[in-house]
Amino acid sequence: KRLLTAEPDYRPALKTLALLQSRRKDYRSASETLQKLLLLDPRDPEVWLYFGDVALFTGDRPAAWTAWQKVGELDAATEEMRRRARTRLELYQSGQLPAEAVSSR
């Protein structure tokens, strides 16, 4: 938090903060942090992947779907990120997406 006080747009610190907020199950704060990251760089597939996860945890299933779809559209997405997003989308479509399973896939 001290680093973010000095440099509020420092992306690595914001990503770490969002992950910590998620682990503490403070999904609303994590969502706000991830939204800030997306404003700074809307082409970051990792942030879109995490944003989809947090959206699901907060009950915003349409936002989760949209975020995971976005990962596949981004040139910067690695094949691993694309695979993870596809897995989430397939589970979502099949209705088999329990919230606890998201972070482990």
Side-chain angles (χ1 to χ4, degrees), residues 12-32:
L14 286 169
K15 281 185 181 183
T16 301
L17 177 61
L19 291 173
L20 288 171
Q21 291 166 328
S22 292
R23 288 195 181 173
R24 292 182 180 151
K25 299 184 182 195
D26 185 1
Y27 301 122
R28 298 262 181 240
S29 294
S31 178
E32 291 171 8

Side-chain angles (χ1 to χ4, degrees), residues 55-68:
L56 181 71
F57 294 145
T58 61
D60 191 348
R61 294 177 66 86
W65 174 265
T66 300
W68 295 328

Side-chain angles (χ1 to χ4, degrees), residues 25-59:
K25 299 184 182 195
D26 185 1
Y27 301 122
R28 298 262 181 240
S29 294
S31 178
E32 291 171 8
T33 302
L34 291 166
Q35 287 176 39
K36 181 174 183 173
L37 278 161
L38 289 171
L39 287 173
L40 294 170
D41 183 4
R43 297 167 295 148
D44 187 328
E46 182 181 35
V47 175
W48 280 107
L49 192 68
Y50 295 150
F51 184 73
D53 295 349
V54 169
L56 181 71
F57 294 145
T58 61

